[in-house]
Amino acid sequence: MYKHVIVKTPGRSYINGLTTSDLGTPNYAKALEQHAAYVEALKKCGVEVTHLPADEEFPDSTFVEDTAIIASEFAVITNPGDVARNKEIVAMEPTLKEFYETVHHINTPGTLDGGDVLQVDDHFYIGISDRTNEEGAQQLKRIVESEGYKGTIVPLKEFFHLKTGIAYLGDDLIVAAGEFIDHPDFARYKKITVSAEDEYSANCILVNDYVIIPSGYEQTKRKLNEAGYETIELEMSEFQKQDGGLSCLSLRF
C-alpha cells in the first residue's frame, strides 16, 4: 500500500517543454485543471500528497517520476538524459531525504530517466532508451542488487520510455502494449494487452484500491474492470502533448 506521493505543479514554462509529439502546444490553464484533478484522484486513493511548487526554470519538472527511483527502503536520484532536465534532481533530493535515510545516485557518464524503470515486486526492469544509456542502466542494476533486489536491463525498440508501454498491477499482472506484449522478459506474467490504437492507456497506475487510467480508452477500462480493478479516469490531453503519462506526474511510495 502506498502512503506517500510527491507531485509538482506545472509552471507557465511547461508549454515550452520537450516533446516528440505532433499534438500541438499545451493549454496551460487546462494543464493546471488536469493536474489538480490528478492530485484529487491520488487523495481519493488514500495517500498523503507532498505538493511541490512550480519551477519556471525547468519546463518539464512536473514530470517528477524521471528524477528518482523509489523503493520501500531506499531512493535513487537519477541523472536525466536530456541536459535541459538534468538539474531537476537538485530540487528533488532534499524532498526525498525527508523520507529516506538511504539515497543512492546515478552518476555521469550514466544517464537514467525514472520513466524507464518498472518495479515488479522485488524486480526492477530498466529500459535503455534515448534518455537512459547502458551505463546508467548498469549503475541502477548494481544499486538495486546491492539492496537485495533483482535487476533486468531491457533495450527498447519502439517506446519513448519503458513505462510508456507497460504497467504493473500487482499479483503478477501487467498491462502491456506494443513490443512488451510478446517480450521474453515479461513472458512469465499474466497480461492485460492494449491495442495499438489504445497504446497511450498502457501507462496507467495502481494506487492502493484503484487503477488510474487516461480517459477515452473504453476497451482498456473494460479489461481492467473485468479483472476486478476499480478505475478512475482522468483527462490527460495536455500532458500527452509533452510525451507525459499518468506515471510521469508522481513519485509513489
Side-chain angles (χ1 to χ4, degrees):
M1 296 287 285
Y2 291 122
K3 295 181 179 179
H4 301 283
V5 169
I6 299 171
V7 300
K8 191 166 193 169
T9 302
R12 291 187 178 278
S13 62
Y14 170 71
I15 64 172
N16 300 315
L18 302 168
T19 187
T20 63
S21 83
D22 58 357
L23 300 175
T25 301
N27 179 302
Y28 178 61
K30 195 171 180 180
L32 286 181
E33 291 175 5
Q34 292 179 358
H35 192 267
Y38 180 81
V39 172
E40 289 307 307
L42 291 170
K43 291 178 179 177
K44 180 178 179 179
C45 296
V47 295
E48 180 179 328
V49 178
T50 298
H51 199 151
L52 304 178
D55 188 340
E56 298 296 346
E57 185 178 358
F58 300 109
D60 300 283
S61 59
T62 191
F63 298 127
V64 291
E65 177 182 62
D66 288 322
T67 63
I69 309 303
I70 304 292
S72 56
E73 311 91 343
F74 65 93
V76 182
I77 301 295
T78 66
N79 197 23
D82 191 286
V83 65
R85 299 199 60 191
N86 193 260
K87 291 185 179 178
E88 292 175 24
I89 60 178
V90 175
M92 183 56 67
E93 184 162 4
T95 300
L96 288 174
K97 285 184 173 178
E98 294 177 13
F99 297 98
Y100 288 94
E101 292 184 5
T102 302
V103 178
H104 301 278
H105 295 80
I106 303 298
N107 297 308
T108 304
T111 64
L112 187 136
D113 276 16
D116 279 320
V117 182
L118 176 72
Q119 184 180 358
V120 179
D121 300 327
D122 66 346
H123 201 138
F124 284 85
Y125 293 91
I126 308 159
I128 294 179
S129 69
D130 288 343
R131 300 286 177 84
T132 296
N133 64 16
E134 175 76 27
E135 171 62 23
Q138 290 288 354
Q139 285 186 35
L140 182 61
K141 186 175 189 292
R142 290 193 295 269
I143 289 168
V144 301
E145 289 176 347
S146 75
E147 293 282 358
Y149 289 79
K150 300 171 187 175
T152 296
I153 294 175
V154 184
L156 304 187
K157 297 178 181 179
E158 302 172 15
F159 288 115
F160 179 69
H161 277 144
L162 181 81
K163 279 190 286 206
T164 304
I166 193 166
Y168 181 54
L169 301 182
D171 298 321
D172 281 338
L173 178 65
I174 62 172
V175 177
E179 63 188 285
F180 299 128
I181 293 175
D182 296 313
H183 197 291
D185 285 331
F186 303 103
R188 71 182 184 89
Y189 299 107
K190 298 175 290 183
K191 293 183 180 70
I192 291 175
T193 59
V194 174
S195 62
E197 57 267 29
D198 287 348
E199 198 169 84
Y200 183 70
S201 65
N203 183 259
C204 55
I205 52 175
L206 174 69
V207 185
N208 300 336
D209 295 329
Y210 299 91
V211 176
I212 305 177
I213 61 173
S215 62
Y217 298 92
E218 290 304 313
Q219 187 179 67
T220 302
K221 179 185 177 182
R222 176 180 55 77
K223 289 182 178 182
L224 289 166
N225 294 156
E226 289 175 352
Y229 294 92
E230 188 168 356
T231 51
I232 298 173
E233 293 183 271
L234 294 177
E235 291 286 345
M236 287 291 293
S237 62
E238 305 315 297
F239 297 103
Q240 188 175 7
K241 290 175 181 177
Q242 305 297 78
D243 297 324
L246 285 159
S247 72
C248 309
L249 290 170
S250 61
L251 290 166
R252 303 164 300 280
F253 53 100

